[in-house]
Amino acid sequence: MNQTTETSPRPLSARIGGGILLTAAIAIAVEASTFEVAFLTDPVGPKALPLLVAAILAAGGLAQLFRPDIDVAWPESAVLTRMAGAAGSFVGYAVVLPYVGFFLSTTAVVTALSLLYGGPPLKGTLAAAALSGALWLLFVSVLGLPLPIGDLWMR
Amino acid sequence: MDALTHLISGFAIALQPLNLGLAFVGVFVGTFVGMLPGIGPINAIAILIPVTFAAGLPPESALILLTGIYYGSQYGNSISTILLNVPGTASAVVTAIDGHAMTKAGRGGPALAMSAIASFFGGTVSIFALVLFAPVLAGWAIRFGPAEYFALMVFAFSALSSFSGGSLMRGLAATAFGLFLATVGLDPNSAIPRFTFGSLQLLDGMDFVVVTIGLFAVSEVIQLLEDTEGGQAAAVGYGRVMISAKEFAETGWTMVRGSVIGFLVGVLPGAGGTIASFLAYSTEERINGANGTFGEGDIRGVAAPEAANNAAANGAMIPLLTLGVPGSGTTAVLLGAMLGLGVTPGPLLITEQPDLFWGLAASMYIGNIFLLMLNLPLVGFFVKALTLPRWFLIPGVAALAFVAVYAVNGSSFDLVMMTGFGVVGYLMRKFSFPLAPVILGLVLGPLMEKSLRRAMALSGGDWRILFDSPIAITLWVLALASLLAPALIARKGVPAE
């Protein structure tokens, strides 16, 4: 079951990607040019490698901008929404983790992800809670690695 | 013989109960994680590095655990390749051809047994080669100055860019991206902050565990949403996990050839395992093609790439251990782990830390025996784990990745970075950019820049120092040759994967 709808070459995607790469290369070069050479004993200085990097990225970007050779098959919009949901839930996890603590936030993010993968809600939640508990036991009790309890419960 | 006494003392270290137990745990956990859909060795190691650090083991024990994971994950990858036809790495693609054909014919069991035996065979041959050649190479590399190191790293970069599949331009761009990430943070030479934009968290630079897990594991978790039903193992019938004496005899020379090819290719930088398995497979096809059924489930089509793949994995340890310069994404992650443990691999490693080197070599062998003992009887267990639904397996992998990333610095900022790299990794996959060169660039970048700046400081800014010795010139020629090689091979009509 492949849900990708578009399989024909999409030079537009490649051109846009090339443009972004080129912009990034220019930004790197501009930023790198502000790195002042500190010592005479260091003839290469801190800007040589970033400038080389920028040159390679610019060449890659220009190639795609003017002679695109990449076929990009984007998935349909429902799938893209699910992907954005997954990435969003990871960022949300990072934000709430210190406050709510490891157990609840991990249970929530794993449940969300398993729903996105089409899992059953109740079984998914139970599995997520069991997994979070097991990870807590493994890392905190066995390996002695601190995981956040949550500032909310500490007051 | 000198190497033999050292190896015996190495076995004394590897056979200590703790190390023996760690080799077992590493191989078992590695097989399990490496088997999960789309995960593969590089993720298995990156996810388990923080766990290894957290356990507070002495360096040689931690390395024994990590190399166990390295081997185990290779084999775990073979299990999902043969049974499900979802190779987690490019080097397993060849195994999928005949391996999965055997599964479809109800002979998955013999294919898995063959894979374990061929891996053991390739591993054994290449470990002996490693023990013989590593000290020689180390003795030779001791004369390397910063200019030679710089040229060597350029060679490693150009080889991986050029052989990592697809276009050279995209391979080079991926390497450049990795080098860029390496420059983020405080420049150790001039104390200038580079690309930190005033952020304190970025001042320490990018952590390779965060980048690797983001680029590989998180992007895979996102990408797999495109196909939530695929790759699900319906409890496949695979028969007895055994091969007959006749099959063993039939594949003997195949394994010998595969091991030798694998080792020789593996020592060179670039996509060692991938090229090795393709080369071993096509050699067998050429020799036995007339009286075989290659492509339709010939057992030699499993034996050749599996022996070659494993031999290449060990061969790749040689440049890593003796030069400190890895040639692949996976060994780059291992180098990052070594540096994190306070071990600096290089020509002096064997003489200055003999316990570590020889203990590691011996435990590689023991790890191979464990793999064989573990995988033949436990295949049923692993297959059962594979039949767990995706909605359970993938979020489970993600949770493990989160803990691993959080464990690096105890900071949730790293989780945001990881997600960012996950999105970048997904886009790179969509635009067919290879991911492994990014990791190599990130891990080797600081060393390369340091070598270049030291060489130039020595010569007072004269660029000719970079081409001043026969060794350096040879390495520059090799770097150039590796850039041109795929184009030349493609012209001959051989697929340059």
Side-chain angles (χ1 to χ4, degrees):
Chain A
M1 271 273 294
N2 202 334
Q3 298 195 10
T4 50
T5 48
E6 190 73 53
T7 46
S8 60
R10 294 281 297 271
L12 184 65
S13 297
R15 282 188 212 271
I16 293 172
I20 293 172
L21 201 58
L22 184 64
T23 315
I26 293 169
I28 291 173
V30 169
E31 176 75 10
S33 61
T34 65
F35 302 156
E36 292 305 321
V37 178
F39 308 112
L40 287 172
T41 51
D42 181 10
V44 179
K47 66 172 94 169
L49 186 62
L51 288 176
L52 175 71
V53 161
I56 296 172
L57 291 179
L62 283 172
Q64 290 311 318
L65 202 55
F66 293 108
R67 292 178 59 191
D69 67 340
I70 308 173
D71 298 352
V72 187
W74 295 109
E76 60 190 36
S77 63
V79 177
L80 284 174
T81 314
R82 270 191 281 159
M83 289 176 172
S89 74
F90 300 165
V91 174
Y93 175 65
V95 173
V96 301
L97 180 65
Y99 303 103
V100 185
F102 177 80
F103 180 75
L104 280 183
S105 45
T106 308
T107 302
V109 74
V110 172
T111 306
L113 197 55
S114 84
L115 286 176
L116 288 170
Y117 270 95
L122 184 65
K123 269 166 100 181
T125 314
L126 290 177
L131 184 74
S132 308
L135 284 174
W136 178 274
L137 275 183
L138 174 66
F139 279 85
V140 178
S141 307
V142 179
L143 294 169
L145 194 87
L147 291 174
I149 298 170
D151 292 348
L152 215 57
W153 324 115
M154 299 290 278
R155 294 178 200 156
Chain B
M1 223 174 90
D2 200 29
L4 200 64
T5 36
H6 280 304
L7 194 60
I8 291 167
S9 65
F11 270 104
I13 292 162
L15 288 171
Q16 286 168 6
L18 171 72
N19 294 342
L20 207 55
L22 287 172
F24 180 81
V25 170
V27 165
F28 182 82
V29 175
T31 306
F32 191 86
V33 180
M35 174 189 77
L36 298 174
I39 294 301
I42 198 161
N43 278 318
I45 299 170
I47 290 176
L48 295 166
I49 280 174
V51 183
T52 310
F53 286 2
L57 299 164
E60 64 266 21
S61 302
L63 273 184
I64 286 172
L65 179 61
L66 280 174
T67 41
I69 293 168
Y70 179 42
Y71 287 144
S73 55
Q74 302 263 0
Y75 189 73
N77 192 15
S78 304
I79 296 180
S80 47
T81 301
I82 289 172
L83 292 183
L84 303 184
N85 201 20
V86 280
T89 58
S91 56
V93 169
V94 194
T95 306
I97 306 171
D98 283 277
H100 191 63
M102 284 178 73
T103 301
K104 280 196 282 195
R107 299 188 67 236
L112 288 170
M114 188 71 250
S115 158
I117 292 166
S119 301
F120 175 75
F121 197 94
T124 307
V125 169
S126 56
I127 288 165
F128 279 103
L130 176 125
V131 165
L132 284 179
F133 292 127
V136 178
L137 189 61
W140 181 67
I142 223 149
R143 287 178 303 216
F144 275 33
E148 284 78 14
Y149 265 107
F150 178 69
L152 178 64
M153 286 183 248
V154 172
F155 173 36
F157 286 137
S158 51
L160 189 60
S161 304
S162 151
F163 290 115
S164 52
S167 93
L168 172 63
M169 192 65 245
R170 292 200 282 281
L172 286 174
T175 304
F177 179 47
L179 288 173
F180 166 70
L181 295 176
T183 62
V184 174
L186 207 61
D187 172 30
N189 272 46
S190 60
I192 288 177
R194 292 191 288 188
F195 306 109
T196 61
F197 308 105
S199 157
L200 280 179
Q201 276 111 335
L202 286 177
L203 216 53
D204 284 339
M206 299 275 176
D207 193 282
F208 77 97
V209 172
V210 178
V211 178
T212 308
I213 291 180
L215 276 183
F216 286 83
V218 175
S219 76
E220 188 73 45
V221 168
I222 294 175
Q223 166 131 337
L224 284 172
L225 280 168
E226 286 186 7
D227 186 13
T228 45
E229 278 129 63
Q232 178 65 59
V236 266
Y238 51 87
R240 261 162 60 89
V241 186
M242 274 290 204
I243 58 169
S244 64
K246 183 177 154 281
E247 284 168 323
F248 185 76
E250 220 176 53
T251 51
W253 282 108
T254 301
M255 290 192 283
V256 172
R257 284 187 291 262
S259 306
V260 173
I261 291 172
F263 180 78
L264 293 177
V265 176
V267 173
L268 298 171
T274 312
I275 296 177
S277 50
F278 268 92
L279 214 57
Y281 185 88
S282 59
T283 306
E284 286 316 304
E285 214 180 3
R286 210 165 298 152
I287 295 175
N288 294 316
N291 55 14
T293 51
F294 285 94
E296 292 149 42
D298 193 307
I299 198 160
R300 283 168 300 195
V302 176
E306 288 295 281
N309 193 5
N310 226 271
N314 286 332
M317 294 293 277
I318 292 189
L320 172 64
L321 291 171
T322 62
L323 303 169
V325 175
S328 67
T330 317
T331 44
V333 172
L334 274 178
L335 173 64
M338 288 182 172
L339 297 175
L341 290 164
V343 176
T344 312
L348 297 174
L349 181 79
I350 300 178
T351 43
E352 283 181 354
Q353 290 173 287
D355 284 4
L356 193 142
F357 177 81
W358 295 102
L360 186 64
S363 75
M364 284 161 79
Y365 188 67
I366 292 169
N368 254 296
I369 296 176
F370 277 146
L371 262 185
L372 198 62
M373 283 175 16
L374 193 74
N375 286 316
L376 293 184
L378 285 184
V379 157
F381 166 79
F382 288 123
V383 171
K384 200 157 247 146
L386 267 183
T387 59
L388 288 169
R390 270 201 171 190
W391 62 259
F392 178 73
L393 276 182
I394 311 284
V397 172
L400 201 58
F402 296 159
V403 181
V405 165
Y406 185 81
V408 175
N409 292 318
S411 128
S412 46
F413 174 76
D414 284 344
L415 289 169
V416 179
M417 295 262 288
M418 171 203 80
T419 310
F421 280 110
V423 174
V424 171
Y426 172 73
L427 291 175
M428 286 180 72
R429 287 173 198 262
K430 277 282 150 197
F431 284 94
S432 344
F433 279 84
L435 296 173
V438 182
I439 303 303
L440 191 70
L442 173 62
V443 175
L444 270 191
L447 301 170
M448 183 186 92
E449 195 178 20
K450 197 171 86 182
S451 308
L452 174 65
R453 286 160 86 166
R454 273 179 43 196
M456 298 300 287
L458 278 175
S459 70
D462 187 348
W463 290 94
R464 278 174 301 182
I465 189 172
L466 298 177
F467 313 94
D468 209 25
S469 75
I471 295 176
I473 292 170
T474 310
L475 290 166
W476 283 109
V477 171
L478 286 172
L480 196 66
S482 67
L483 289 180
L484 301 175
L488 293 177
I489 295 170
R491 196 166 297 173
K492 279 190 161 180
V494 186
E497 176 57 42

